[in-house]
Amino acid sequence: MAEKNTKKTNILFILKDAVIDLYNHIGYTMLISVLWFFTILPLGVFLLNTLRVYFANQDNPLGLLLFLLLLAVPYTAFIIGPVHTALFYQMSRVIENEAEFKGLWLGLRKFYWKSAGIYALYMITLLFTLVDILICFFIAEHILIKFVGFFLVYMFLFLLLAGTYLPGFIVLQDNTWKKVYKKTLLLTLDNTLATLGIQLILLALGIGCTVVTPLVICFYGGFLQITGVRLFQGLMSKYPDPVSADDTTSVGE
């Protein structure tokens, strides 16, 4: 049993299972990848161009923050968050061989407003942290402020890693907003190295896939969803659900 649980939490075994799932469900993987790519692409292009213009003109970072809040947050809240959650939901059903084509719509409808609110606050936190980093390193001159900047960089990277588990706690568990954030942070803190390791592998894989563009469009996004499901399930296997009060009473009787 211990060996089985170790395999579930080992990132190499998680990636191996993800590759097998991709091969077994290649049709759904391609569909989900295409939807993921054309959802994330506009935001990625927008953020890169916005930061490029900012560094070229050295504008006030508060203006940058306001601009990003007005455009990036709504897009993340109303499009990326719900779509990403629906894709995660559908892929979790695919892995269990219980998927229906209408599952994409069912997942979107079921988790739309919950995921919209959670991802909106998550994006706002990321943007505030990013702009604070720019202020610390490019605006402020005091040496202590620059040391604070290094802490903010760590915080920003940690938040990026934590985003890996948001859809899992939205889709695979019945949690309030507060519990989603709390459990996400705790799971990331307790599994920082595993999360960092698998994200670095996925990043390297994504960079490699850009050499052949069809791989990014047709396979990478779906593989991210499969890996996200497998990683979440594997890590959560270390934390068995506590016995409820009712179950305890029944056993006692």
Side-chain angles (χ1 to χ4, degrees), residues 63 67 78 85-86 100 114 125 157 192 203 209 212 235 249:
F67 183 67
F78 297 119
T85 303
E100 298 178 294
K114 186 176 184 179
T125 305
L157 294 176
T192 303
L203 177 62
C209 286
V212 184
L235 294 182
T249 302

Side-chain angles (χ1 to χ4, degrees), residues 137-194:
F137 287 112
F138 298 101
I139 303 298
E141 298 182 356
H142 198 285
I143 186 66
L144 291 179
I145 300 299
K146 295 191 181 297
F147 278 115
V148 173
F150 287 107
F151 170 76
L152 290 173
V153 169
Y154 167 79
M155 179 178 174
F156 183 76
L157 294 176
F158 178 80
L159 289 172
L160 287 178
L161 293 178
T164 306
Y165 304 116
L166 285 177
F169 285 117
I170 295 173
V171 172
L172 301 180
Q173 292 186 2
D174 184 17
N175 293 306
T176 62
W177 288 22
K178 182 179 179 181
K179 285 185 177 180
V180 168
Y181 294 129
K182 179 181 178 181
K183 291 182 177 181
T184 297
L185 294 176
L186 290 176
L187 185 62
T188 309
L189 278 171
D190 198 36
N191 301 276
T192 303
L193 290 180

Side-chain angles (χ1 to χ4, degrees), residues 26-42 83 87 91 104 213-223 225:
I26 194 167
Y28 269 117
T29 300
M30 293 178 68
L31 173 63
I32 288 174
S33 293
V34 171
L35 294 174
W36 174 87
F37 180 80
F38 287 105
T39 301
I40 204 74
L41 180 64
V83 170
L87 296 179
M91 189 54 78
L104 288 167
T213 304
L215 289 178
V216 178
I217 300 175
C218 297
F219 294 102
Y220 186 64
F223 186 70
Q225 298 298 329

